[in-house]
Amino acid sequence: MTSLSVVIIALNAAAYIDRCVMAARHVSDDVIVVDSGSTDGTVLLATKAGARVISTDWKGYGATKNEGNAAARHDWILSLDADEVINAELEVWLKTFTPKNDRSVYSLRRLNHIGSHPVRFGCWGKDYTIRVFNRKYVHWNDAPVHEALVTPGNVEKHVASGILQHYTVTDMNDLMHKTRKYAELSARKYHQKGRKANIFNTYIGPVWKFFVNFILKLGFLDGLYGLRLALAKSYEAYLKYSLLRTYNTAK
């Protein structure tokens, strides 16, 4: 078995941070919560649950996660968000974790939820994300949103057993709040990269995104949840490029 450090980023995550930390402690003797200025008791709850808390300014998703990785006691990292919980099968896999080599990375399957309702189809249906890696060879990029791991050219990719339960939004109001938040962050990122908004990506692209998520990816099988999620993702695409046009034309 190889020792893992668990690194969790958090901001005002009092509603779920203790559940995340307690599950993480089942698989690691080093659970780190990187808190970026919570005001709702997150730090106290994380500490009581057994985490080592690092308080820092928000530097963006990737940079904040890298700060936690640098503070870890072990080179192998399990990277979590505060609203994610390890399930029993994944816990067993992590407890017996033995990497193929130091350049291996491991994807976890996430089961995303709206409230307590699991979303099994649509854009959230087949969600695999690399979360276990060796910090000597892998790090997060500095993207302010939708961060990604930078991996060596000879990386070996594997898939872990089990599921990472992701309680991504509490209800539809929370979904719309996060939709607007990520649209704004993405628009600012695109603006910094010099990308342009046009008729296609502003108006036609969102319609196509709805069709893909609700029809081609079988989002309709999730019923009303699938419909609302497909609409939210379509709106996010529209809002992102509408904001981008505003940023590009602002003096």
Side-chain angles (χ1 to χ4, degrees):
M1 174 182 172
T2 298
S3 295
L4 286 161
S5 289
V6 180
V7 177
I8 305 163
I9 62 169
L11 174 62
N12 291 331
Y16 33 73
I17 188 64
D18 52 349
R19 179 173 55 180
C20 178
V21 170
M22 286 188 285
R25 289 191 65 213
H26 290 169
V27 301
S28 176
D29 62 353
D30 184 36
V31 178
I32 302 164
V33 170
V34 185
D35 183 81
S36 301
S38 293
T39 58
D40 65 346
T42 294
V43 171
L44 179 60
L45 289 169
T47 302
K48 285 184 175 180
R52 177 161 55 99
V53 177
I54 298 173
S55 296
T56 183
D57 295 331
W58 178 249
K59 302 176 178 66
Y61 287 92
T64 303
K65 289 182 177 183
N66 285 333
E67 186 170 346
N69 295 348
R73 295 183 184 133
H74 307 301
D75 287 331
W76 281 94
I77 304 295
L78 167 60
S79 181
L80 297 179
D81 293 338
D83 57 1
E84 296 173 335
V85 181
I86 298 163
N87 84 337
E89 184 181 354
L90 180 55
E91 178 183 329
V92 171
W93 185 86
L94 290 165
K95 283 181 174 178
T96 58
F97 172 66
T98 303
K100 299 284 185 180
N101 56 59
D102 285 349
R103 287 178 170 80
S104 295
V105 296
Y106 295 83
S107 293
L108 309 184
R109 182 194 168 197
R110 289 200 304 182
L111 181 58
N112 299 287
H113 294 69
I114 298 175
S116 61
H117 184 87
V119 176
R120 303 185 183 278
F121 302 95
C123 57
W124 285 358
K126 294 182 179 179
D127 187 4
Y128 288 85
T129 178
I130 297 173
R131 292 301 187 84
V132 178
F133 53 87
N134 190 311
R135 66 178 177 184
K136 289 183 177 179
Y137 303 97
V138 178
H139 65 277
W140 297 97
N141 64 15
D142 59 357
V145 62
H146 300 313
E147 71 284 1
L149 284 168
V150 179
T151 58
N154 58 348
V155 68
E156 293 185 13
K157 296 182 179 180
H158 308 278
V159 178
S161 298
I163 291 174
L164 189 61
Q165 304 281 4
H166 185 204
Y167 298 94
T168 180
V169 292
T170 56
D171 53 29
M172 296 312 302
N173 288 333
D174 190 24
L175 174 62
M176 293 311 298
H177 171 75
K178 289 190 174 181
T179 293
R180 290 187 288 268
K181 171 186 173 182
Y182 287 122
E184 182 177 356
L185 288 171
S186 295
R188 292 189 182 279
K189 181 175 74 172
Y190 287 0
H191 175 61
Q192 292 170 359
K193 291 185 174 182
R195 293 186 60 170
K196 304 297 183 183
N198 54 48
I199 292 177
F200 179 83
N201 56 33
T202 305
Y203 298 106
I204 300 175
V207 175
W208 173 247
K209 182 176 285 290
F210 175 84
F211 178 77
V212 169
N213 288 329
F214 194 64
I215 304 299
L216 298 185
K217 293 186 176 181
L218 308 180
F220 62 88
L221 293 178
D222 281 311
L224 185 59
Y225 289 97
L227 174 61
R228 289 176 172 174
L229 180 59
L231 288 170
K233 289 300 178 181
S234 178
Y235 175 64
E236 181 180 338
Y238 164 75
L239 183 59
K240 173 174 60 180
Y241 286 104
S242 295
L243 289 170
L244 177 60
R245 177 181 287 110
T246 299
Y247 298 152
N248 285 345
T249 56
K251 294 183 179 179

